[in-house]
Amino acid sequence: MDITVAIDAMGGDHGPRVTIPAALTLLKQDSELKVILVGLTVAIEAELRAQKAKPNPRMTIHHASELVLMDESPQSALKNKKDSSMRVAINLVKDGNADACVSAGNTGALMATARFVLKTLPGIDRPAIAGVLPSKVGMTHMLDLGANADCTPEHLLQFAIMGSVLVSCVRNKANPTVGLLNIGSEDIKGNEVVKQTAELLKSSHLNFYGNVEGDDIYKGTTDLVVCDGFVGNVALKTSEGLANLMGSFLKEEFKRSPITKLMALISMPVLSAFRKRLDPRCYNGASFLGLRGIVVKSHGGADVFAFKHAIIKAVDEARSGVLAHITEQLALEHTQSETSAKVAS
Amino acid sequence: MDITVAIDAMGGDHGPRVTIPAALTLLKQDSELKVILVGLTVAIEAELRAQKAKPNPRMTIHHASELVLMDESPQSALKNKKDSSMRVAINLVKDGNADACVSAGNTGALMATARFVLKTLPGIDRPAIAGVLPSKVGMTHMLDLGANADCTPEHLLQFAIMGSVLVSCVRNKANPTVGLLNIGSEDIKGNEVVKQTAELLKSSHLNFYGNVEGDDIYKGTTDLVVCDGFVGNVALKTSEGLANLMGSFLKEEFKRSPITKLMALISMPVLSAFRKRLDPRCYNGASFLGLRGIVVKSHGGADVFAFKHAIIKAVDEARSGVLAHITEQLALEHTQSETSAKVAS
């Protein structure tokens, strides 16, 4: 199935030096992929020359004259950068010229622009950021990872519906299990919002497992973990911090003396295999769910390998029809809640 | 300085088999320590015989006829277990017969009982749970780790005051830096409670660093990280989950084949040093702050080494006069806020 992805070629810490080689690699691997490279034509052409890329009918350049800076405020990006590579890539999705877009740019600006240009799906109050983390049994999807610091139970229910559809589409898993992130497994645990959310989830069509705790994310207790953006972001950043600490402690111990350095050399194949299993680059790409279009945010510091994974995520979402399925599921939940309201009245 | 610690000998997954050897070890190491072993006299005496412990004037047994079960509700423990080892140990603190108590029992029951028996300090609405985590530069203290799922800015300010005093006392560090856990470093980030808390912290006597993110906990950006009990518990449990995942991946890779097993054997000294640096047993013991007495909660599954560390924590807090210093600091903040209120009016 042909899929066209608009790529914000200028976004991220490295811009075209990363985004373009990633696109070129994936074009070779996926013969049904088309890409639109969005950004300063001169910069894009220079990188294509540097990569010795041949003309490809599946690759086009779409000029955009401006750039959103990595530390620019969302308001400034929205107001002053109407021809930014980020915004033009999103416009291509809105106008139906692309099935999805990917950017490694400024998260706040990307979310604000995507929301302004694409609008939210019917039945969705706020878009959320969904990501994937490794687990003992495969991987765990999680949302919201930081778009919404204050959430109501209704918002969390909407996140659960969208996340559940995402997992069933991209993981090809019917009826994925949904866990509600809490500080204990019992019903009485947690804050008021979480307690009320549990009630909503119980009476939904979702395969609600119940409360899960922080360690369940990495145990893989459920396919999906739902939480507000404050808690989700703290869990994600805390994990990054701990993984870095453990990595640097391991490195320090292996570098302590000539003997330990020799041990490191001998164990290299195992250490590489270990690193590979947890390689965050394989999990790169956060999905902005709840918009009338597919937008995937890559880590700003992504390298070519990582950025390629973010594009793959966008392609998978477009190919599996995530948007249409979210809309259907939202309509289903809406009908159900109306029916229960009528029965109750 | 002589310190008497009341030990809930029956608490935790292993009861006297862990608590008593830990107490005996520490009695040998700390000649100014006295312990009161609280619980079923027959069970305690049996374990002392098994350990071939000689009579010691610094060790006494205090009989308590009941046990709080690990899954018992706080309400049931409070109402039905008035002669539990946990409650009697807390009573010993209240009556001035012990300077601190340590329990590896049920967290909810311990907190409810401690709060009921000891009451909170003047100026403290709710006690919080403080813990310690490893960081790149040493260790980071953090609270609340789960006692309070819903917090107001005033609660978080109280946590910051108590945590700051704890760090300055037990780490002997004047004016420790305080970070407010948030989802971005800018002032505009976060939910309403966090934004208001930042204002309170700015106008306090504390050495407020500003907002920190999840990864700052392990970077050691600040000496203390303050957050509500929901977020703190999620961060803690998520960390446990990730550390377990990384540990089990490393083990799996080293066990993959006879060759990798040989590599593990060769690298053993490095792997042991690595494990030792992150050994959660060294960080065992969470302090219940805000009560009119020192209560330290050990992990339920603690072994002898870990439980000994929890007792050490209680001893350190008692010896450094944490309670008196918290009371002083609270009075100081109270006077200041009254003065500012007068100036403002």
Side-chain angles (χ1 to χ4, degrees):
Chain A
M1 183 181 161
D2 277 4
I3 294 294
T4 303
V5 178
I7 293 173
D8 168 8
M10 315 307 290
D13 301 341
H14 312 297
R17 277 196 302 130
V18 156
T19 57
I20 290 175
L24 291 171
T25 313
L26 204 58
L27 278 170
K28 275 182 208 148
Q29 292 169 5
D30 184 340
S31 63
E32 295 181 314
L33 170 67
K34 292 179 184 173
V35 300
I36 307 173
L37 300 170
V38 184
L40 295 169
T41 306
V42 281
I44 295 172
E45 284 179 345
E47 184 59 33
L48 287 172
R49 273 195 304 278
Q51 295 292 330
K52 299 190 174 57
K54 288 178 197 139
N56 183 336
R58 295 189 283 119
M59 177 176 71
T60 50
I61 298 174
H62 193 110
H63 183 68
S65 63
E66 293 172 314
L67 303 179
V68 173
L69 303 177
M70 290 305 272
D71 57 355
E72 193 161 350
S73 79
Q75 292 71 23
S76 156
L78 258 183
K79 203 175 143 194
N80 309 319
K81 299 286 174 76
K82 293 192 181 152
D83 198 39
S84 71
S85 53
M86 182 187 277
R87 178 128 173 199
V88 172
I90 298 171
N91 285 340
L92 288 168
V93 174
K94 182 182 189 310
D95 299 339
N97 295 315
D99 302 298
C101 72
V102 182
S103 174
N106 175 333
T107 311
L110 185 66
M111 179 55 97
T113 309
R115 206 174 159 174
F116 179 79
V117 172
L118 297 172
K119 315 288 181 228
T120 51
L121 286 168
I124 294 295
D125 298 319
R126 296 176 179 191
I129 301 176
V132 182
L133 291 162
S135 86
K136 270 190 189 153
V137 294
M139 45 184 76
T140 304
H141 289 251
M142 186 164 163
L143 83 171
D144 175 25
L145 295 182
N148 308 282
D150 281 301
C151 289
T152 64
E154 288 71 27
H155 294 147
L156 292 173
L157 171 65
Q158 291 166 14
F159 298 171
I161 295 168
M162 298 192 295
S164 183
V165 172
L166 179 73
V167 177
S168 67
C169 285
V170 299
R171 301 247 79 79
N172 208 358
K173 189 159 195 170
N175 225 12
T177 48
V178 178
L180 178 62
L181 193 57
N182 202 335
I183 58 171
S185 51
E186 310 87 351
D187 279 358
I188 54 148
K189 290 279 184 176
N191 55 33
E192 278 314 309
V193 171
V194 166
K195 285 181 207 170
Q196 290 173 31
T197 305
E199 294 309 313
L200 290 181
L201 286 169
K202 273 180 204 162
S203 55
S204 74
H205 281 97
L206 300 172
N207 186 3
F208 181 47
Y209 168 90
N211 291 332
V212 292
E213 297 186 74
D215 51 343
D216 289 302
I217 300 167
Y218 294 105
K219 279 184 190 161
T221 307
T222 55
D223 299 312
L224 178 72
V225 170
V226 176
C227 56
D228 72 43
F230 193 98
V231 172
N233 189 272
V234 167
L236 186 74
K237 290 276 175 69
T238 302
S239 297
E240 279 177 22
L242 178 59
N244 282 338
L245 183 76
M246 289 178 77
S248 70
F249 276 6
L250 198 58
K251 216 177 271 175
E252 275 173 40
E253 292 305 328
F254 271 119
K255 280 190 173 171
R256 206 168 275 285
S257 73
I259 294 171
T260 60
K261 279 181 189 162
L262 184 66
M263 290 173 183
L265 208 63
I266 294 168
S267 328
M268 197 51 80
V270 175
L271 297 174
S272 304
F274 168 67
R275 238 197 316 267
K276 218 169 158 182
R277 272 181 85 170
L278 285 163
D279 190 348
R281 300 180 305 163
C282 298
Y283 302 93
N284 184 40
S287 314
F288 287 5
L289 293 182
L291 299 163
R292 296 173 191 247
I294 295 169
V295 179
V296 170
K297 162 77 175 83
S298 158
H299 198 287
D303 64 8
V304 174
F305 180 78
F307 194 76
K308 192 187 83 176
H309 274 272
I311 309 176
I312 292 174
K313 247 182 202 166
V315 172
D316 286 351
E317 284 180 37
R319 229 166 235 157
S320 61
V322 165
L323 283 194
H325 287 106
I326 289 179
T327 313
E328 267 170 37
Q329 190 67 34
L330 285 168
L332 180 72
E333 291 296 338
H334 188 66
T335 318
Q336 193 204 23
S337 64
E338 280 198 334
T339 314
S340 354
K342 271 185 197 155
V343 170
S345 68
Chain B
M1 182 183 163
D2 277 4
I3 294 293
T4 303
V5 178
I7 293 174
D8 169 6
M10 315 306 291
D13 300 340
H14 311 296
R17 276 196 303 131
V18 157
T19 57
I20 290 175
L24 290 172
T25 313
L26 204 58
L27 278 170
K28 274 181 209 149
Q29 293 170 5
D30 185 341
S31 63
E32 295 180 315
L33 170 67
K34 292 180 184 172
V35 300
I36 307 174
L37 301 171
V38 184
L40 294 169
T41 305
V42 280
I44 294 172
E45 284 178 344
E47 184 58 34
L48 287 172
R49 272 194 305 277
Q51 295 292 329
K52 300 188 171 60
K54 286 178 198 141
N56 184 336
R58 293 189 286 120
M59 176 176 70
T60 50
I61 297 174
H62 192 110
H63 182 67
S65 63
E66 293 172 315
L67 303 180
V68 173
L69 304 177
M70 289 305 271
D71 56 355
E72 193 162 351
S73 79
Q75 293 71 23
S76 156
L78 258 183
K79 201 176 146 195
N80 309 319
K81 301 285 175 73
K82 294 193 179 150
D83 197 39
S84 71
S85 53
M86 182 187 276
R87 179 127 172 198
V88 173
I90 298 171
N91 285 339
L92 288 168
V93 175
K94 183 182 189 313
D95 299 338
N97 295 315
D99 302 298
C101 72
V102 182
S103 174
N106 177 333
T107 310
L110 185 66
M111 179 54 96
T113 309
R115 206 173 159 174
F116 179 79
V117 172
L118 298 171
K119 313 290 180 226
T120 51
L121 286 169
I124 294 295
D125 298 318
R126 298 176 179 191
I129 301 176
V132 182
L133 292 163
S135 85
K136 270 190 190 156
V137 294
M139 45 183 77
T140 304
H141 288 250
M142 186 165 162
L143 83 171
D144 173 24
L145 295 182
N148 308 284
D150 281 300
C151 290
T152 64
E154 288 72 26
H155 294 147
L156 291 173
L157 171 65
Q158 291 166 14
F159 298 171
I161 295 168
M162 297 192 295
S164 183
V165 172
L166 179 72
V167 176
S168 68
C169 285
V170 299
R171 301 247 80 79
N172 208 358
K173 188 158 195 171
N175 225 10
T177 48
V178 178
L180 178 63
L181 192 57
N182 201 336
I183 58 172
S185 52
E186 309 85 354
D187 278 359
I188 54 147
K189 290 279 183 177
N191 54 34
E192 278 314 309
V193 171
V194 166
K195 284 181 209 170
Q196 289 173 33
T197 306
E199 294 309 312
L200 290 181
L201 287 169
K202 273 179 205 164
S203 54
S204 74
H205 281 97
L206 300 171
N207 186 2
F208 180 47
Y209 169 89
N211 291 331
V212 293
E213 297 187 71
D215 52 342
D216 288 303
I217 301 168
Y218 295 104
K219 279 183 192 163
T221 308
T222 54
D223 299 312
L224 178 71
V225 170
V226 176
C227 56
D228 72 43
F230 194 98
V231 171
N233 189 272
V234 167
L236 186 73
K237 290 275 175 69
T238 302
S239 298
E240 279 177 24
L242 179 58
N244 282 337
L245 182 76
M246 289 179 77
S248 69
F249 276 5
L250 197 57
K251 218 178 268 172
E252 274 172 40
E253 291 305 329
F254 271 119
K255 280 190 174 170
R256 205 169 275 286
S257 74
I259 295 172
T260 59
K261 279 181 188 161
L262 184 67
M263 291 172 183
L265 208 66
I266 294 167
S267 328
M268 198 50 80
V270 175
L271 296 174
S272 304
F274 168 67
R275 238 198 316 269
K276 218 169 158 183
R277 271 181 88 171
L278 285 162
D279 190 349
R281 300 180 305 164
C282 298
Y283 302 93
N284 184 41
S287 314
F288 286 5
L289 293 183
L291 299 163
R292 295 171 192 250
I294 295 168
V295 179
V296 170
K297 162 76 175 83
S298 159
H299 198 287
D303 64 7
V304 174
F305 180 78
F307 194 77
K308 191 187 85 176
H309 275 271
I311 309 176
I312 291 174
K313 247 182 201 166
V315 172
D316 285 350
E317 284 180 38
R319 228 166 237 160
S320 60
V322 165
L323 283 194
H325 287 106
I326 290 181
T327 312
E328 267 169 39
Q329 191 66 34
L330 284 168
L332 179 71
E333 291 297 337
H334 188 66
T335 318
Q336 192 204 24
S337 64
E338 280 199 334
T339 314
S340 357
K342 272 185 198 157
V343 170
S345 66

